[in-house]
Amino acid sequence: MDEILEAANGALEPVLGGVAGHDHPLRVFGVLYTIVLVGGFVTYALFASLAYLVVYRLLPHRLLEPHDRAVARGQIEREVLVSLKGMPLIALLTAPIYFAEWAGLTRIYHNVNEYGWPYFFFSIALFLAFTDAAIYWIHRALHYGPLYQHLHKTHHLFISPTPFAAVAFHPIDGWLQSTPYHLFVLFVPLHSRLYLAMFLFVQLWTISIHDRVSLAPLDGIVNGSAHHACHHDAFNYNYGQYFTVRPLRPAHLLPPLLRPLPRPFPVLIPLLSFVVASLHSALHPPFHCLYCFPHPRESTAHMVSRTS
């Protein structure tokens, strides 16, 4: 972030030239806010558009099942509008965390030799484990009572989302779900460039779980788009971010194991999925997820109408 801050400071010199020095706290905060806002917008616009172009325009017949290809009229415009409206406030709430990093209040380090390469790679696993667990509980809390009605309901207006819904949140909701990434570096050492790389990865992952592309046969381990589609449709399941291995909370896991798999995967995988799904149904109360367990009496037209 130091390199980005310095580059942004230089680029904004014509505008901020009369606003104290480069290291003045008010100027630093303003520049950090600009970085978060512009960086968030560029990342969202670029990668969400790219995902939509590839998945929905270029390769829909290879990447999507028939009932996933339809997008309700006006849905993308609404997703983009909600996203853009929330970005300024999310950036304002996030900038203080980067300011704390600039002030030296985090465990971010800059030299790999301080902890060595083994720890560098181990910290990736720590980051994923911590943020996955923290987001699970934050996300689950956002589905209760007033928190859902006033915050998280905005995101669930999109029952069958597209990549443009990745950051279509109420700004406080979006900020709350991003806090684990920043809280991590308050307590655990993380290399500065790895911190930025992981944050970029998180943005890309958030876009990918809204693109409706199944990661089968990894859907039993990875909380990808198939699981997240079940979350948007079934509401009280699959709160996690990356993984589905949750032995302590199986009642809140709804595996999309009967979801049709892409053609390249062998027929043995669907058969195995059917067996596992049958066991899951026997062990847990029956629940119908429209996109995960297609009902023979429900047509594709009915599925599409739910997005209207």
Side-chain angles (χ1 to χ4, degrees):
M1 179 58 77
D2 289 344
E3 297 91 340
I4 298 175
L5 177 61
E6 190 60 33
N9 240 326
L12 294 173
E13 183 64 29
V15 179
L16 302 175
V19 184
H22 280 206
D23 291 331
H24 191 280
L26 288 178
R27 174 164 174 164
V28 169
F29 184 87
V31 173
L32 287 172
Y33 172 77
T34 304
I35 292 173
V36 175
L37 180 59
V38 175
F41 171 77
V42 171
T43 302
Y44 167 73
L46 177 62
F47 291 106
S49 299
L50 183 61
Y52 179 80
L53 176 65
V54 172
V55 175
Y56 290 85
R57 295 298 182 185
L58 298 180
L59 301 172
H61 296 284
R62 294 181 62 87
L63 298 177
L64 297 175
E65 295 302 323
H67 63 266
D68 279 331
R69 295 170 192 163
V71 178
R73 181 178 299 175
Q75 177 180 328
I76 292 176
E77 289 81 355
R78 293 192 296 271
E79 291 173 341
V80 171
L81 180 61
V82 171
S83 301
L84 295 181
K85 286 175 63 177
M87 283 183 186
L89 182 54
I90 292 177
L92 185 62
L93 294 171
T94 305
I97 303 173
Y98 286 108
F99 185 84
E101 177 199 338
W102 172 80
L105 301 178
T106 66
R107 300 295 304 278
I108 290 176
Y109 65 96
H110 303 281
N111 190 340
V112 175
N113 293 329
E114 289 186 44
Y115 293 91
W117 283 107
Y119 176 80
F120 179 90
F121 292 106
F122 179 64
S123 66
I124 297 176
L126 284 178
F127 177 90
L128 294 176
F130 174 82
T131 55
D132 185 57
I135 290 173
Y136 171 87
W137 290 109
I138 292 173
H139 192 180
R140 185 170 171 182
L142 285 164
H143 274 258
Y144 285 94
L147 289 178
Y148 177 78
Q149 289 297 325
H150 297 292
L151 298 179
H152 197 54
K153 187 176 180 178
T154 300
H155 188 61
H156 277 273
L157 293 175
F158 309 108
I159 297 175
S160 187
T162 75
F164 292 104
V167 294
F169 292 95
H170 184 288
I172 296 178
D173 177 8
W175 177 75
L176 283 172
Q177 295 199 59
S178 73
T179 53
Y181 311 125
H182 306 293
L183 289 175
F184 181 82
V185 296
L186 290 177
F187 309 104
V188 182
L190 191 69
H191 191 273
S192 57
R193 295 192 176 180
L194 180 58
Y195 178 46
L196 291 177
M198 294 306 295
F199 195 70
L200 178 61
F201 164 76
V202 168
Q203 307 308 310
L204 298 179
W205 181 261
T206 304
I207 291 171
S208 76
I209 64 175
H210 291 88
D211 63 13
R212 310 186 197 178
V213 178
S214 174
L215 295 177
L218 298 178
D219 284 332
I221 301 173
V222 176
N223 188 59
S225 182
H227 275 81
H228 200 66
C230 283
H231 174 72
H232 274 259
D233 188 56
F235 185 77
N236 286 329
Y237 295 84
N238 303 349
Y239 298 113
Q241 181 78 345
Y242 311 117
F243 307 112
T244 61
V245 182
R246 309 181 198 285
L248 299 181
R249 43 189 189 269
H252 293 281
L253 179 64
L254 184 63
L257 295 175
L258 294 187
R259 182 182 178 87
L261 301 181
R263 294 178 183 175
F265 296 101
V267 69
L268 181 62
I269 294 175
L271 293 177
L272 179 62
S273 295
F274 178 81
V275 172
V276 176
S278 299
L279 291 174
H280 181 274
S281 299
L283 295 174
H284 299 287
F287 189 89
H288 173 54
C289 173
L290 183 62
Y291 294 103
C292 310
F293 298 88
H295 195 284
R297 290 176 296 179
E298 290 179 317
S299 66
T300 302
H302 177 66
M303 295 180 186
V304 174
S305 68
R306 296 195 55 178
T307 66
S308 302

